[in-house]
Structure formats: structure tokens, C-alpha cells
Amino acid sequence: MKILKLFTTLLLMILGNITYSQSSTKAVEEVQVETKKLKKAIDTKNEPAQADSYYNIGETFFNDGNFPKSEEYYTKAKKIYEKVNDKPNIEKVTRRLAQSQEKQNKISPAISNYSMAAQVGYSEKSRAVNSNDVARLSSPTPEQKTEAIQSNINIIRKEKEQTGLAEGYSQLADVNIQQNEVSKAEDNLNAAYKISKKEAPQQALEINQRLANLYVENKKFDKAIEAKKKVMKEDFVKDDSQEKVNQIQELADIYIKKNDKEEAVTLLKNAYGIALDKGHTLEAQRSVKKLDSLYNISGNTDASVSLYRDFLGKLPDLVSKDRSLVDNKILEDTEQRISQLEKERELKDELIRKKNVFNYGLIGALILLTGLVIFIFRTLKKVQIKNKKIALQSLRREMNPHFIFNSLNSVNHFIATNNELEANQYLTKFSKLMRGVMENSTEDFIPFQQELDLLENYLALEKTRFADKFDYEVDVDENLNVHSQQVPGMLVQPFLENAIWHGLRYRTEKGFLKLSFEKEEQYLKVTIEDNGIGIEESKKQKTQHQKTREGRGMKNTLERIQLLNDLYKKNITCTVKDKENNSGVLVIIKINLF
């Protein structure tokens, strides 16, 4: 899971190196048009036209919500307007620069520029509006701020400037929120939204988000949801798939805060599907991250893994049809051309062309390479897992030949000695054990209680067979949940069989076998301890055929442990060693419970 997340993040970082912001196609086209005009103005040394182009580019970024970029181009335009002493345009661009800085919460420079705009204002109206904005930002009391805003609203209403009027109501809402007048803030934001949705969709989206945030902060989640659903019905959202995805994600955030995670998951899946269909890479990534966070909270790891694999599998195709990545690249290159038009223009144009070819070639190569790597990785992974599961199933279904052979020999011995009752009892226990083993032969893990029952049944069989050779004890830690905990089936049995058949059976006096289960931090610790003849002495007494059979049985068990570790990360460990003075064998098995 961590590898999938890391790989996704790295790939998007590579793609992110050629993009620096999300800009609309319309904005890119407008900047390109103005860049052509700027190039012509520079070639003809027409400084007022250069300033106009810089101002128009700043306007494009401002309307697109990219305020840092708008500030950059307004500043360039302002310098040229001041150079040619174009006072009307100085006032216009200075006011816009102040508004851009205010949007970024740069209050001090914004006040300075509003003040400058008021000083150079070419009309009584412009001087009054800018002075009111200075008072609004610098006044210490809400009452003074409200007075300044209301004054501007009255002026703007006479001029019938709808965008400025919406901004005024939005500013009133800010003061209302500071005074904790939620109802008034709601009314003013609704008024601002109603005006701006006709003239300035970007402003309307910003106001709608503020309204939704206001509702959420005051625990009015249903109203916040209603406000979001309202804006999603607007044409400027319905006709813009990228913005539609953003609004669905914001609606999902509200449901998350409302603690309605089920609805949030449904919305984010919808947003993810639209982003994939329309080719919005970064929006799809955001949906994946939000869904992953919700899946982690609910503990649904499988859904999270499946989601990341689906995203990685579709990422090459998604990137190939993502227009925004191309638009942002074009916009970046366009700005580079703007900054270099006055310096060796022909040489810089050639360098940018080569850079474009290299970048697009690199992206194409990365996409192809990524697709190939993903395909090979997933194919090999599936094959490896399938083969390991087949091998594990084969090992799990194998019964130790010694166990079956010796069990049937014991039945034969009981019958031969006319001990039909013990033969019947033994055969009943043996069939019960075999049935339990076979029933669980398709499962890698079984409930702990079933494993205990099987092992106790097995020990009872061996005790019947070797009544005079050993006694046994099974000890289970009270902290272990034997009903809900899952453990590998019959993993312990081969070690018990070794202890009885190769250790205790050769004792001259009755021996003792202890099997214990205890919880040790996050591990299940299984201890098998006997006082038989020990490993080394047992080897001396075996025939070559017995050594071969035992070695194969233990090899299968160790292979099974390795496969369980590979497939399920259980970190199973096993140690087998002689106790001191050849007084028996100690086996310790540890299994990760989590």
C-alpha cells in the first residue's frame, strides 16, 4: 500500500515540474493573445501599448483567481504608466494592484496602493471610493469599517457597477462575521452571490464557498449543503467539468464535517469518475487522497489498495488527455517569452522551442515507460502471488506420511490383539481428526479454537497409541481470544509429532510433553517442550530412510512458514534446539497477530 502511494506521489511530482498552477483554457488563450500584442508593442517601442498588455494579462489572472500573478503584471503595468505619466491608468492599475494584494491578505501594501490611487484619482468618485477602502482596511472599529463600506456601496450603486457592488456586500459580511452577526453575514453573502453570478462567476464561486464555510463554522451543515448544491446548478459550474469536480469535492468535505462519511465517499467516487472521464489529473488525485483518508478511518484497506491500483493503471491515459497540463505548460512558456522579449528575442524563442520539444518528449517517454513498468509489475506480482498460494495450498493439504501410516498400523495392532473396543475408539478419534484437517485444508488461516481442538485431538490419539510413554499438558494464555483470533492450521502438529515419535517414544521411563500458547506483545508465542532423548541422540537411532522422510516433512513445514510470511507478512519465526544436558527439545514458534 505504501509503495503504491509513494509511486503515485513521485509520478505526479514529475508531472508537477512542468505545471505551477491550475489555469483555465480561456485564461491561457487570453494571455497568448496579449503576449502577441506585447511582442508587437516591444518591437515598435510602444510603451503605452506594452503597459496595456501587462494590465490585460493581470486582469486575466485576477479574474481566474491567480492573485500572485495578477499582482506581478499589475506592477509591471504600473511602472510603465508612471513612466509615461498616464494618470487615469495609474489610478486604475494602482487600485487593481491594491485589490490583488488584499486578496492575498497583504494589508499594508494594499492600504498604501489604495491611498496612492486616491491621490492620483482623476474624478471625485474614484478618489472617494479609494479613500473609503483605505478607511475600511485601517479603521480600528467595525462601525467605522461598516460606514466606509456602505459609502462605497452607495457610490457604486449609482454607477451601476455590479461587480463592485457584490464586493461591497461581501466586505459587509466580513464585518458581520467579526461581530458574530451570522444572520446579517448570511444575507449579505447571498446578496453578493446573486449579483456576482451574472457578471463574475469566479467571484460567485468564492462568495459561495465563504457562505458554506460560515454555515459549517456554525454547525448549520444542511444549509451549507444546500448552498453548495445551489451553485452546482449554475451553468458556469455545470458547463465546466473541472469546476464541477472541485465543487463536488467541497460538498464531500461538508459531509465529512457533518460526520456523514458514507455520502462523502459516494460524492468523491463521483468526482473521481468525472475527473477520469474528462481528463483532470490533479482533481482525480485529490479525490483519491480524500477517499484513501476515509477508507483508512474505516479500516477498509482493501478498498484503498484497489483505488490506488486503479488510479495508477489509468494515470497514463488520464495524463494524455488532460488539457490543463498542456494549458499550464503553454502558459509557463508564454510567461517565459514575456520576460525575455526585451533580451535577445530570437535566441530565446529558439531555446524555448527546444525546451518544449524536450519536455513533451520526456513526458511521452515517462508515460510510455510508466505504463510498461506498471503492466510488468502488476503481471509479475499476480503470477508470484498465484504461484505462492498454489504452493501453500499443496503443502497445507499434505498429511505427514508417518502420521497416517503409524495411525493405521495402530488400528491394525488393536484388531490383531482382539482389542476391538480400543480399535474402534482410536479409529473414531482418527477419523474426526482427519475430517477436521480436510475441512480446513482450503483455508490458510483458521480460528484459534479450531486449531486447539485439532491439536488436542491429535495428542489424545498419540496418547492412546503410546499410553506408557508420555503424559501431556496444553496451556492457553487467558489474554488470547481463542474465538476470534486466526492462526495457520496444523502448523504446530509436525513439531508435536517429532517430539513424540523421535524423542519421547525412545525413553525408558514415561516422559512429559508440554504445549503452551501465550500472548507476547503483538505475537502469539507457541512453546513445545519435551523431555525426550533430544535431537542428536534421536538422529543416531534413525535409519537412513527415516532421516530422509523426516527431513522432507520438516522442509515442507519450513517452506510453508516462508510462504505465509511472504503472502501475509505474519513474520512467523521458528527455533528448534536441544535443552541442556540432552534433557529434551524446546521448540518456540512466534506468529504476528496483526
Side-chain angles (χ1 to χ4, degrees), residues 321-585:
K321 65 180 181 181
D322 191 344
R323 177 63 188 174
S324 68
L325 297 178
V326 179
D327 288 341
N328 285 334
K329 176 59 184 171
I330 293 173
L331 190 57
E332 180 187 11
D333 292 342
T334 301
E335 286 204 88
Q336 288 178 352
R337 288 198 296 271
I338 291 173
S339 65
Q340 296 297 326
L341 279 172
E342 298 175 354
K343 300 177 183 179
E344 302 176 11
R345 175 173 49 82
E346 292 298 329
L347 177 61
K348 187 60 181 178
D349 287 344
E350 179 64 18
L351 291 174
I352 291 175
R353 187 191 68 80
K354 291 180 179 180
K355 182 181 178 182
N356 286 342
V357 172
F358 173 77
N359 282 340
Y360 289 122
L362 179 61
I363 293 173
L366 283 172
I367 291 172
L368 291 175
L369 181 60
T370 299
L372 181 61
V373 169
I374 292 172
F375 175 76
I376 294 174
F377 175 79
R378 293 180 67 183
T379 302
L380 289 176
K381 193 69 176 176
K382 287 179 180 178
V383 170
Q384 288 175 353
I385 292 174
K386 186 176 181 180
N387 287 341
K388 287 179 180 179
K389 286 187 175 181
I390 291 173
L392 182 60
Q393 187 178 50
S394 176
L395 291 172
R396 188 175 59 244
R397 288 179 174 177
E398 287 184 10
M399 287 296 293
N400 192 309
H402 287 297
F403 171 61
I404 298 174
F405 177 78
N406 291 326
S407 296
L408 295 176
N409 268 348
S410 295
V411 174
N412 184 51
H413 172 74
F414 290 138
I415 294 172
T417 57
N418 294 320
N419 196 341
E420 294 183 10
L421 178 59
E422 288 192 20
N424 288 333
Q425 290 175 345
Y426 184 88
L427 191 57
T428 299
K429 292 179 182 179
F430 176 70
S431 63
K432 182 179 179 181
L433 176 61
M434 288 296 294
R435 183 170 60 253
V437 171
M438 294 306 175
E439 285 176 352
N440 294 307
S441 63
T442 59
E443 302 296 333
D444 292 336
F445 293 88
I446 64 174
F448 189 12
Q449 184 62 59
Q450 289 187 24
E451 173 70 357
L452 277 176
D453 292 341
L454 290 173
L455 293 176
E456 288 179 346
N457 194 6
Y458 170 73
L459 288 172
L461 278 174
E462 297 291 33
K463 175 62 177 173
T464 302
R465 188 183 306 167
F466 301 113
D468 60 338
K469 288 296 183 179
F470 75 98
D471 291 320
Y472 69 90
E473 176 186 339
V474 178
D475 184 22
V476 181
D477 192 339
E478 293 180 355
N479 294 323
L480 289 169
N481 191 332
V482 297
H483 297 290
S484 64
Q485 191 63 56
Q486 299 279 320
V487 296
M490 293 296 281
L491 186 67
V492 178
Q493 185 272 333
F495 297 100
L496 294 175
E497 184 171 338
N498 272 355
I500 296 168
W501 279 85
H502 305 299
L504 296 169
R505 187 175 64 150
Y506 294 105
R507 282 180 57 92
T508 56
E509 298 177 357
K510 180 177 283 191
F512 187 76
L513 173 63
K514 182 176 181 181
L515 171 62
S516 60
F517 299 87
E518 60 182 314
K519 189 173 183 181
E520 190 176 86
E521 296 180 349
Q522 76 270 29
Y523 290 91
L524 168 64
K525 181 180 178 182
V526 184
T527 304
I528 304 165
E529 184 177 1
D530 68 73
N531 59 353
I533 63 174
I535 297 174
E536 295 301 322
E537 183 62 27
S538 176
K539 288 180 179 178
K540 296 176 182 178
Q541 298 188 23
K542 293 174 186 172
T543 65
Q544 188 61 38
H545 177 69
Q546 286 176 326
K547 291 178 182 179
T548 303
R549 298 291 290 179
E550 179 194 0
R552 189 185 309 150
M554 290 309 300
K555 180 182 178 183
N556 286 354
T557 301
L558 295 176
E559 286 179 2
R560 186 180 170 201
I561 289 174
Q562 183 61 50
L563 288 171
L564 287 169
N565 287 338
D566 290 344
L567 287 170
Y568 300 103
K569 311 303 179 187
K570 285 296 183 180
N571 194 25
I572 301 173
T573 60
C574 174
T575 59
V576 182
K577 63 181 181 180
D578 271 326
K579 296 195 295 185
E580 294 182 0
N581 301 321
N582 293 325
S583 59
V585 177

Side-chain angles (χ1 to χ4, degrees), residues 112-178:
S112 176
N113 280 309
Y114 277 130
S115 180
M116 184 181 297
Q119 292 174 13
V120 299
Y122 58 92
S123 68
E124 182 178 347
K125 173 252 179 184
S126 65
R127 288 193 295 270
V129 168
N130 285 302
S131 295
N132 284 332
D133 282 325
V134 172
R136 172 176 59 83
L137 292 179
S138 58
S139 294
T141 66
E143 291 77 14
Q144 290 175 325
K145 291 180 185 290
T146 301
E147 183 180 352
I149 296 169
Q150 192 60 56
S151 177
N152 267 356
I153 289 176
N154 294 335
I155 294 171
I156 294 170
R157 186 181 285 120
K158 291 179 182 179
E159 299 293 328
K160 296 182 180 180
E161 294 179 7
Q162 297 299 310
T163 303
L165 191 60
E167 187 66 25
Y169 284 119
S170 179
Q171 292 165 357
L172 276 178
D174 287 337
V175 178
N176 298 145
I177 293 171
Q178 290 175 8

Side-chain angles (χ1 to χ4, degrees), residues 156-347:
I156 294 170
R157 186 181 285 120
K158 291 179 182 179
E159 299 293 328
K160 296 182 180 180
E161 294 179 7
Q162 297 299 310
T163 303
L165 191 60
E167 187 66 25
Y169 284 119
S170 179
Q171 292 165 357
L172 276 178
D174 287 337
V175 178
N176 298 145
I177 293 171
Q178 290 175 8
Q179 295 179 299
N180 201 27
E181 296 176 337
V182 177
S183 180
K184 289 184 179 180
E186 179 182 350
D187 292 339
N188 283 318
L189 286 173
N190 279 319
Y193 174 77
K194 185 176 180 180
I195 295 169
S196 62
K197 72 177 184 178
K198 299 177 182 178
E199 303 289 337
Q202 188 65 38
Q203 185 183 33
L205 289 170
E206 177 186 349
I207 292 170
N208 175 265
Q209 185 59 41
R210 291 182 58 204
L211 181 61
N213 290 340
L214 176 66
Y215 287 137
V216 169
E217 288 170 3
N218 290 275
K219 308 300 182 183
K220 298 180 179 180
F221 297 109
D222 291 337
K223 280 196 170 186
I225 292 168
E226 181 183 353
K228 272 296 159 196
K229 289 183 176 179
K230 181 179 179 181
V231 78
M232 289 170 65
K233 294 178 181 178
E234 302 291 355
D235 290 338
F236 53 82
V237 174
K238 291 193 295 185
D239 297 337
D240 185 345
S241 60
Q242 189 173 8
E243 188 58 49
K244 184 176 181 180
V245 171
N246 290 334
Q247 292 300 318
I248 293 174
Q249 290 174 342
E250 290 171 3
L251 180 58
D253 288 338
I254 296 173
Y255 275 104
I256 292 172
K257 292 174 182 177
K258 188 183 177 184
N259 205 27
D260 188 349
K261 295 182 176 58
E262 183 175 350
E263 183 62 24
V265 168
T266 300
L267 287 168
L268 290 172
K269 285 182 178 179
N270 183 28
Y272 177 61
I274 296 172
L276 290 178
D277 182 57
K278 299 298 182 180
H280 303 310
T281 307
L282 299 181
E283 284 74 14
Q285 181 203 20
R286 281 197 293 271
S287 295
V288 168
K289 284 186 175 181
K290 290 176 183 290
L291 280 169
D292 176 60
S293 178
L294 290 175
Y295 288 146
N296 284 336
I297 293 173
S298 62
N300 194 349
T301 306
D302 291 341
S304 184
V305 172
S306 176
L307 177 66
Y308 268 97
R309 285 179 175 172
D310 180 75
F311 182 51
L312 279 175
K314 295 176 180 176
L315 188 57
D317 180 61
L318 177 62
V319 172
S320 68
K321 65 180 181 181
D322 191 344
R323 177 63 188 174
S324 68
L325 297 178
V326 179
D327 288 341
N328 285 334
K329 176 59 184 171
I330 293 173
L331 190 57
E332 180 187 11
D333 292 342
T334 301
E335 286 204 88
Q336 288 178 352
R337 288 198 296 271
I338 291 173
S339 65
Q340 296 297 326
L341 279 172
E342 298 175 354
K343 300 177 183 179
E344 302 176 11
R345 175 173 49 82
E346 292 298 329
L347 177 61

